[in-house]
Amino acid sequence: MIVISVLALAFYLLAIIASLHLLLSAKPVGQVSLFACVGLALTTHGIAVGSEVLATQSGQNLSMLNVASLVALIISCFMTCVTRRFNGWILLPVVYSFSALLLAASALIPGNYVTHLEAHPQLLLHIGLALMAYSVLMIACLFALQLAYLDRKLKSRKISNLPAMPPLMTVEKRLFQLISAGLFLLTLSIASGLFFLEDMFAQGKSHKAVLSILAWCVYVLLLWGHHSRGWRGRKVITLSLIGSVILTLAYFGSRFVKEVLLS
């Protein structure tokens, strides 16, 4: 499946070039070419990830890089679908670059973490909710960084001349929508773990549950502060970034140490 991965990387490269051209163009031209390249990139990426996950004779290989590549695919699919509505053109080159990088890493760096989801449908539900929650909240993190960039430009009175640059208030509105959706999915993920997984707080796994709950508290605090105290700007951006870092540590921290640093 190296050939499929190489094709996906080539299509991602074309998609990055097309998205940059569209971003810098004074007129909204080239969208058809962009979405054609993206469609091919996402399709081949999906085939490559599927082959890596199902590479074992029995079970599924959910190594850290395979999961990270799957998350990147979910984020790329979501951003591609909502870019027009959310005016997220400026984020597309970043999203597609990360997808290409993680796809290459999962193909070149072998990993092995076999599980048997077919025997535990409740685990499949929990993992699915967790991946969706993480993907949405990582997109929210990207919007938070975009908000910080726009806020800094406005305060320094150096407004960007990029034609596709969205208004500050629009980015902030989308940020809260994404955080609300991500928090809902994260709540379902934690609840499914508490109800369906007997070893959620077992030794060696408890840090994942504790950090996930801590991230949940950060996002709840963020939304509460926004709706009750009118928090905006730097506080919202900081809490969003803190929540994303904690959630990343919960999902990938120990796996990174075991599969990359100690392998």
Side-chain angles (χ1 to χ4, degrees):
M1 285 295 172
I2 293 296
V3 176
I4 299 297
S5 297
V6 172
L7 284 174
L9 291 174
F11 289 132
Y12 270 127
L13 178 59
L14 292 175
I16 293 168
I17 295 173
S19 61
L20 288 173
H21 174 73
L22 184 63
L23 183 63
L24 298 173
S25 176
K27 296 181 180 180
V29 296
Q31 291 187 19
V32 175
S33 300
L34 169 62
F35 288 120
C37 293
V38 172
L40 292 170
L42 296 178
T43 300
T44 48
H45 188 169
I47 296 172
V49 171
S51 65
E52 289 292 333
V53 172
L54 302 175
T56 58
Q57 294 181 352
S58 62
Q60 298 79 39
N61 183 13
L62 297 181
S63 67
M64 186 197 73
L65 288 176
N66 283 350
V67 173
S69 181
L70 178 58
V71 169
L73 176 61
I74 294 172
I75 292 175
S76 293
C77 289
F78 183 86
M79 282 300 301
T80 301
C81 293
V82 303
T83 290
R84 288 182 176 178
R85 181 179 178 184
F86 278 31
N87 198 357
W89 300 104
I90 193 174
L91 297 176
L92 290 185
V94 177
V95 169
Y96 297 150
S97 296
F98 271 106
S99 290
L101 179 63
L102 290 171
L103 173 61
S106 66
L108 296 175
I109 304 176
N112 193 37
Y113 189 86
V114 178
T115 186
H116 300 275
L117 298 179
E118 68 280 357
H120 305 283
Q122 68 275 15
L123 180 60
L124 177 60
L125 173 64
H126 173 70
I127 292 176
L129 288 171
L131 292 181
M132 291 301 298
Y134 182 79
S135 300
V136 173
L137 290 171
M138 288 307 103
I139 295 173
C141 178
L142 291 176
F143 271 78
L145 292 174
Q146 184 181 8
L147 182 64
Y149 172 77
L150 291 174
D151 184 63
R152 182 177 179 181
K153 286 295 183 180
L154 286 173
K155 289 182 178 178
S156 62
R157 297 183 179 180
K158 295 180 180 179
I159 308 300
S160 175
N161 293 322
L162 291 178
M165 187 65 69
L168 181 68
M169 296 300 295
T170 299
V171 176
E172 186 178 71
K173 178 181 178 181
R174 300 309 184 193
L175 172 61
F176 287 116
Q177 290 176 343
L178 288 166
I179 291 176
S180 298
L183 180 61
F184 175 72
L185 291 170
L186 183 59
T187 302
L188 293 179
S189 173
I190 294 173
S192 66
L194 292 173
F195 280 105
F196 298 137
L197 304 182
E198 297 179 358
D199 59 346
M200 187 172 177
F201 290 95
Q203 186 176 4
K205 297 182 179 180
S206 60
H207 66 282
K208 297 180 181 180
V210 172
L211 288 174
S212 296
I213 293 173
L214 181 58
W216 182 88
C217 292
V218 170
Y219 287 116
V220 169
L221 175 64
L222 188 160
L223 292 179
W224 173 83
H226 172 67
H227 292 294
S228 301
R229 299 298 178 88
W231 290 356
R232 298 176 65 184
R234 184 169 297 180
K235 282 186 178 180
V236 170
I237 295 168
T238 301
L239 286 175
S240 178
L241 296 179
I242 290 174
S244 64
V245 170
I246 295 174
L247 203 58
T248 299
L249 290 175
Y251 284 18
F252 297 106
S254 63
R255 297 280 295 276
F256 178 78
V257 174
K258 293 177 182 178
E259 297 182 27
V260 178
L261 298 182
L262 299 181
S263 60

